[in-house]
């Protein structure tokens, strides 16, 4: 399998992993995934989960490709950057409406970050 196909599969796997966590948390466990958005509440559904994971994955892939072309240490720089972005992304779910939602959103961030970092950093 060529590098482009493998990286595309990594991005799709990250989205699938996030959707699996959503499916376990929301329909199965009954978690109310609501996040305050200004004066209203945003319900996090499967479409939003997939879109966010795909956007993160495509952005990560794009940055990796750019860094690989720009410097001989592109993969190392990307891995450090990805780890920092992942750590910062964990702050977002802390504003969820309840503890169960916080845990579910943290789990989604963790699986997406883990799949992307482990999968895209591979040679």
């Amino acid at each position: 399998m060529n590098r482009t196909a493998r990286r595309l599969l990594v991005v799709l796997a990250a989205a699938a992993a996030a959707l699996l966590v959503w499916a376990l948390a929301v329909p199965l466990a009954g978690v109310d995934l609501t996040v305050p958005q200004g004066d209203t509440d945003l319900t996090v559904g499967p479409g939003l989960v997939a879109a966010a994971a795909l956007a993160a994955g495509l952005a990560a892939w794009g940055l990796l490709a750019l860094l690989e072309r720009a410097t001989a240490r592109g993969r190392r720089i990307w891995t450090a950057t990805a780890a920092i972005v992942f750590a910062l992304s964990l702050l977002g779910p802390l504003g969820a409406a309840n503890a169960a939602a916080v845990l579910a959103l943290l789990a989604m961030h963790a699986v997406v970050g883990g799949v992307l970092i482990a999968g895209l950093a591979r040679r």
Side-chain angles (χ1 to χ4, degrees):
M1 175 179 309
N2 69 33
R3 183 170 66 177
T4 300
R6 186 181 54 75
R7 288 182 175 177
L8 177 60
L9 284 176
V10 168
V11 171
L12 294 173
L19 285 168
L20 177 61
V21 172
W22 180 88
L24 292 171
V26 177
L28 257 47
V31 174
D32 176 24
L33 268 187
T34 342
V35 180
Q37 290 286 315
D39 294 339
T40 63
D41 287 340
L42 173 67
T43 300
V44 179
L48 185 56
V49 169
L54 289 170
L58 292 173
W61 181 5
L63 179 61
L64 176 57
L66 179 69
L67 288 170
E68 285 175 332
R69 285 185 178 87
T71 178
R73 301 171 85 182
R75 188 179 317 273
R76 182 175 295 163
I77 294 167
W78 179 86
T79 302
T81 303
I84 291 166
V85 169
F86 166 65
L88 291 173
S89 83
L90 295 176
L91 297 174
L94 299 180
N98 57 64
V102 169
L103 290 175
L105 290 167
L106 285 172
M108 281 185 248
H109 280 242
V111 297
V112 170
V115 169
L116 291 175
I117 292 171
L120 292 177
R122 263 185 59 212
R123 287 198 175 263

